[in-house]
Amino acid sequence: MSLTVIILFVPVLVLILLLANALLATHRPDSEKVTPYESGFSPFLGQTRAPFSIQYYLVAVLFLLFDLEVLLLYPIAVSLYTVSTYGFVIAIIFFIVLTLGFVYEISVGALYFTDQRSSIKPSNSINMTSTKTS
């Protein structure tokens, strides 16, 4: 009985909310909103494969990793009374390893979005003007 109610209720609720949104929401499209890409680049004006930094992928992967860590906090907190000391120690080890990984990421600068290539100075720079050949 309850599953049938849910199967019938959810599509009706979805249709009601979609109609309410279409009727009540203000629509002010501008040039950025009607483009097919969220970045605002038009695919008809030239090359659509604009280069961008790999750090965006890195931050996305790191976000997923730590999002999964937070996702695992709830089951551990709920079952903390039923697992023994062994389960608690394993959970603490898991979170310590993830915390050490996060500290390492911060220390190597993985989360900085600045272009650091311009700040790299060669360690053994040779002055080319003083080595002229006669």
Side-chain angles (χ1 to χ4, degrees):
M1 171 73 179
S2 64
L3 185 61
T4 307
V5 172
I6 291 174
I7 290 175
L8 295 176
F9 177 71
V10 169
V12 170
L13 179 65
V14 166
L15 287 175
I16 290 171
L17 291 175
L18 284 174
L19 286 174
N21 182 31
L23 294 175
L24 301 175
T26 58
H27 299 284
R28 293 186 202 124
D30 56 9
S31 62
E32 284 81 21
K33 287 184 181 179
V34 295
T35 58
Y37 300 106
E38 291 180 7
S39 62
F41 295 118
S42 177
F44 302 111
L45 296 177
Q47 179 68 298
T48 59
R49 297 181 185 181
F52 56 93
S53 178
I54 193 73
Q55 289 176 331
Y56 292 111
Y57 289 118
L58 180 63
V59 169
V61 168
L62 294 176
F63 172 77
L64 288 175
L65 176 72
F66 290 108
D67 195 34
L68 289 175
E69 176 188 7
V70 171
L71 184 70
L72 288 175
L73 276 174
Y74 182 73
I76 289 171
V78 168
S79 66
L80 197 57
Y81 288 112
T82 59
V83 296
S84 62
T85 307
Y86 177 74
F88 178 71
V89 169
I90 294 297
I92 293 298
I93 290 172
F94 172 74
F95 289 118
I96 287 173
V97 167
L98 282 178
T99 304
L100 290 174
F102 183 65
V103 169
Y104 175 73
E105 290 166 6
I106 296 256
S107 67
V108 297
L111 300 177
Y112 294 117
F113 279 100
T114 58
D115 190 13
Q116 297 179 3
R117 288 179 288 177
S118 61
S119 64
I120 296 174
K121 307 263 189 286
S123 60
N124 55 358
S125 61
I126 300 172
N127 191 354
M128 296 302 288
T129 57
S130 64
T131 59
K132 291 183 181 177
T133 58
S134 300

